[in-house]
Every structure is written in structure tokens, then in C-alpha cells.
Amino acid sequence: NAGVTQTPKFQVLKTGQSMTLQCAQDMNHNSMYWYRQDPGMGLRLIYYSASEGTTDKGEVPNGYNVSRLNKREFSLRLESAAPSQTSVYFCASHGGRPYSNQPQHFGDGTRLSIL
Amino acid sequence: DQQVKQNSPSLSVQEGRISILNCDYTNSMFDYFLWYKKYPAEGPTFLISISSIKDKNEDGRFTVFLNKSAKHLSLHIVPSQPGDSAVYFCAASTLSGGSYIPTFGRGTSLIVHP
């Protein structure tokens, strides 16, 4: 019963390097999300995909790109990593109709440090 | 500007007593509220929710109260247990641009002492 799986769990990058964070869910959910959490901050939405084939910007999209590869997978890419992107990244999904009010299921996060 | 505020970064409670976690919001359009619980090195997990048409929702030891006029909600845990020690996030959402996207507070760290 995997739920939402994120890889890798930890990563250290140098400034300017690129990186793709992977997320997959096995619950047949339509909607998927990427958040970042910084110390003392809540979860801030980077991008979301309400359904396969669509993606939209969230609150803090600058410096990131996403791909909804298929219904299961939603990846987050940092093209040129910056120290300000040091954070814990969470992927989430929810079932029900797209755009419906449903609780989200979260992965366990990717801890990313950029030197 | 924060639309969802959890003004207490931490709360310490004795085992068996009541824990009350508070959350205030500013956007009167929010109509669905959720609480998530997060253990270290894990993702948040959904705990309980409430729609704006209700003022109370109960699930076992957990009760959420909503006061729409005050734009305030609270989570009550009775009785508190050491396993409840975690960070609790309040979230609020409304339909915007065709999507329900939750806005999260900064969290309250609850410590339940044996």
C-alpha cells in the first residue's frame, strides 16, 4: 500500500545544477501537487495538476517546471538550482473529481540542499 | 500576507488532558477547512475536516469547531496521548479559478508529556 512515493529522499546539489524530483501515486487519483516547506513556514504550493494533461502555477512557481507524465506520475524540475531552493519538497494527490474538495495524500518528502 | 494563521508555534500538554489548537483565517470566501498532522521525516496526514455549513465535526478523540463570524477554527484532542505529539497544520480552501487549492498555516508543534 505505497500511496504517494517520492524519490529521492535526500539530495545535495551545487548552485546551477539541475535536478528532477519524482513523484508517483498508486491510488488512481486525478489531481497531484508539489509543495515546499521551509522552517517555520507552512506548505506553499509550487505547481499542481488538476487532471492528466493539465498543469497550473501555484503560489511560488518561479525557478521550477513540472511534467504530468501520466495519471500516476508528476515530476518537478529545477533547471538551475539556487540556494533559496533549499527546502523539503512534498508531493500530494487527491481523488474524487478534478477541482473537488478532497483531503490530500502526501508523500514523505524530498530533502534538498543546494550549496 | 498570511490568510491562514496559527499563532501558537508550540503547545505543551499533559497526557490525559485536553489539547486545543487554534487557527484564524482572513478570507471570508474559505468554505472548507482541514487539519493535518505531521510527524518528523514524514509527510502530513489528513486528520479531520469541516465544511462551512457546519460548526462542529467529531471523529473519536478529535473535534473541530468552526466559528465563521470570528473566522476562527480550533482542533480539540481529548484525551491527549503521547502519540499525538506532532506538528498540526490548519488548511483552508475555496473554489478559485475552478480549483479547490488549500492554503496552509505555519503549523503548531504539540508535545504531550507522559
Side-chain angles (χ1 to χ4, degrees):
Chain A
N1 211 12
V4 178
T5 302
Q6 293 184 234
T7 55
K9 294 190 184 306
F10 304 93
Q11 186 69 46
V12 179
L13 293 177
K14 293 182 179 178
T15 297
Q17 287 185 315
S18 61
M19 170 80 189
T20 299
L21 280 60
Q22 307 286 354
C23 175
Q25 51 90 11
D26 62 2
M27 296 172 283
N28 201 36
H29 285 171
N30 287 311
S31 304
M32 298 185 73
Y33 307 78
W34 276 105
Y35 292 91
R36 62 178 287 176
Q37 187 194 9
D38 301 297
M41 302 290 286
L43 295 157
R44 293 186 293 168
L45 183 66
I46 305 171
Y47 271 94
Y48 66 100
S49 171
S51 61
E52 188 178 355
T54 68
T55 60
D56 287 285
K57 294 179 180 178
E59 180 186 356
V60 288
N62 291 345
Y64 305 95
N65 285 301
V66 290
S67 295
R68 184 73 183 267
L69 304 169
N70 47 56
K71 191 170 185 179
R72 288 187 65 246
E73 299 172 286
F74 188 38
S75 63
L76 178 72
R77 183 161 178 83
L78 287 69
E79 289 291 351
S80 179
S84 61
Q85 294 177 303
T86 293
S87 190
V88 181
Y89 291 85
F90 289 102
C91 178
S93 70
H94 81 56
R97 301 185 310 279
Y99 312 116
S100 68
N101 241 340
Q102 293 284 338
Q104 293 170 318
H105 298 254
F106 284 84
D108 283 340
T110 294
R111 283 145 189 83
L112 185 60
S113 292
I114 299 160
L115 307 177
Chain B
D1 190 28
Q2 284 184 268
Q3 295 191 68
V4 178
K5 297 179 183 179
Q6 294 179 256
N7 291 319
S8 298
S10 63
L11 176 67
S12 182
V13 171
Q14 199 74 26
E15 181 179 6
R17 307 292 287 268
I18 184 171
S19 295
I20 300 176
L21 294 89
N22 294 304
C23 180
D24 296 294
Y25 61 95
T26 57
N27 187 346
S28 58
M29 299 299 292
F30 286 142
D31 56 6
Y32 190 66
F33 305 88
L34 310 95
W35 285 94
Y36 287 85
K37 176 179 177 179
K38 184 184 179 305
Y39 292 118
E42 295 184 8
T45 55
F46 169 69
L47 192 57
I48 193 169
S49 63
I50 188 166
S51 164
S52 60
I53 62 173
K54 294 185 173 183
D55 55 17
K56 176 183 174 181
N57 189 26
E58 199 169 350
D59 183 1
R61 297 186 296 114
F62 303 91
T63 303
V64 56
F65 295 92
L66 176 62
N67 182 333
K68 290 186 288 295
S69 61
K71 296 191 182 69
H72 176 83
L73 68 156
S74 61
L75 174 68
H76 292 211
I77 306 173
V78 184
S80 301
Q81 299 173 354
D84 296 328
S85 297
V87 176
Y88 290 78
F89 290 100
C90 169
S93 66
T94 187
L95 187 62
S96 175
S99 301
Y100 276 104
I101 304 297
T103 299
F104 286 83
R106 294 185 176 185
T108 296
S109 177
L110 173 66
I111 300 171
V112 180
H113 297 283

